[in-house]
Amino acid sequence: AQYRPTQETWEALHRFFESLLPYLDKPEEVRSYLEWDFDNFKFIIHELFIYVIAVLLKYERFLGGAYLVRQHYYVFQNASRGKESIMRYSVFRDYIRSLEHRNKRLKLRRLSLRADLIEQRSKSSGLAFEQVMQADLVLFIRDCLDSLRSEHRQRWWPETLLYAHRHYGPFELFARSQSKQYFEKVRPIFD
């Protein structure tokens, strides 16, 4: 029997990602810290969100992907600091200063160490890097569309697409979307 996720599945996944938000910033009790002390969490949570979307796209669970990108995420730390407390999924892609510092310090001259790390780590993930890039592109397009529909600024940048030169032709999702029937299944992700 094939597993069919329910609405409760998507809600649980949303709550899981929302529970990760405190790790994107310093805990309240921490007084002394460097700006990049929590960058490892930022990287892992960003990568995890891309991977979840990639898996949902791979197995054509488009309603699950649509649910995650439509939902807003409550950031308790922001509420307690007088900042905007309800954020879109783009909150999971945050600037990682430590990677920029490493790139400069070691004179690596890389365009994106984040993209390099995600690409290298994908080799042992069981998921083709093309699927990761495809998910990153979908998240970017959705963020562009959301930014056009609201006053929010665009925050998602598809860094993994630095490796798109290795992929010829359209990504599978977009190639299959030439069929109107398939596109109707994909369309909820973009609203």
Side-chain angles (χ1 to χ4, degrees), residues 54-119:
V55 168
L56 292 172
L57 295 176
K58 177 181 179 178
Y59 292 104
E60 298 185 357
R61 304 294 189 211
F62 303 122
L63 293 177
Y67 186 85
L68 290 177
V69 298
R70 284 182 186 144
Q71 295 305 306
H72 288 88
Y73 297 84
Y74 180 68
V75 185
F76 173 77
Q77 298 87 331
N78 284 2
S80 66
R81 295 176 184 151
K83 297 179 182 178
E84 185 177 0
S85 60
I86 300 294
M87 305 289 287
R88 296 176 303 146
Y89 71 89
S90 58
V91 70
F92 299 115
R93 191 219 168 266
D94 203 355
Y95 178 64
I96 300 179
R97 187 166 179 76
S98 60
L99 293 178
E100 178 189 334
H101 177 73
R102 177 180 174 82
N103 200 9
K104 288 179 182 175
R105 182 175 54 86
L106 298 176
K107 297 181 174 101
L108 298 174
R109 301 182 68 200
R110 303 295 300 165
L111 290 176
S112 172
L113 285 182
R114 182 192 308 229
D116 294 347
L117 286 169
I118 292 173
E119 189 270 338

Side-chain angles (χ1 to χ4, degrees), residues 12 16 36 61 89 157:
F16 167 73
W36 53 64
R61 304 294 189 211
Y89 71 89
W157 184 252

Side-chain angles (χ1 to χ4, degrees), residues 39-180:
D39 282 1
N40 57 333
F41 294 116
K42 291 178 183 180
F43 176 84
I44 291 168
I45 293 168
H46 169 250
E47 181 184 44
L48 182 60
F49 192 78
I50 292 173
Y51 269 88
V52 166
I53 297 299
V55 168
L56 292 172
L57 295 176
K58 177 181 179 178
Y59 292 104
E60 298 185 357
R61 304 294 189 211
F62 303 122
L63 293 177
Y67 186 85
L68 290 177
V69 298
R70 284 182 186 144
Q71 295 305 306
H72 288 88
Y73 297 84
Y74 180 68
V75 185
F76 173 77
Q77 298 87 331
N78 284 2
S80 66
R81 295 176 184 151
K83 297 179 182 178
E84 185 177 0
S85 60
I86 300 294
M87 305 289 287
R88 296 176 303 146
Y89 71 89
S90 58
V91 70
F92 299 115
R93 191 219 168 266
D94 203 355
Y95 178 64
I96 300 179
R97 187 166 179 76
S98 60
L99 293 178
E100 178 189 334
H101 177 73
R102 177 180 174 82
N103 200 9
K104 288 179 182 175
R105 182 175 54 86
L106 298 176
K107 297 181 174 101
L108 298 174
R109 301 182 68 200
R110 303 295 300 165
L111 290 176
S112 172
L113 285 182
R114 182 192 308 229
D116 294 347
L117 286 169
I118 292 173
E119 189 270 338
Q120 290 164 10
R121 291 163 54 94
S122 75
K123 293 174 183 168
S124 61
S125 73
L127 200 61
F129 188 60
E130 287 74 22
Q131 293 166 326
V132 175
M133 288 190 296
Q134 175 179 263
D136 207 8
L137 178 59
V138 165
L139 291 167
F140 172 70
I141 292 170
R142 174 61 194 240
D143 193 42
C144 288
L145 295 171
D146 286 346
S147 296
L148 291 172
R149 292 185 275 240
S150 69
E151 66 277 353
H152 290 98
R153 68 181 178 89
Q154 183 190 348
R155 293 190 57 196
W156 197 275
W157 184 252
E159 290 182 76
T160 60
L161 292 184
L162 290 173
Y163 287 91
H165 67 280
R166 297 181 184 172
H167 181 80
Y168 299 101
F171 289 111
E172 180 180 0
L173 179 81
F174 298 100
R176 290 183 182 276
S177 290
Q178 292 178 27
S179 153
K180 287 182 183 180

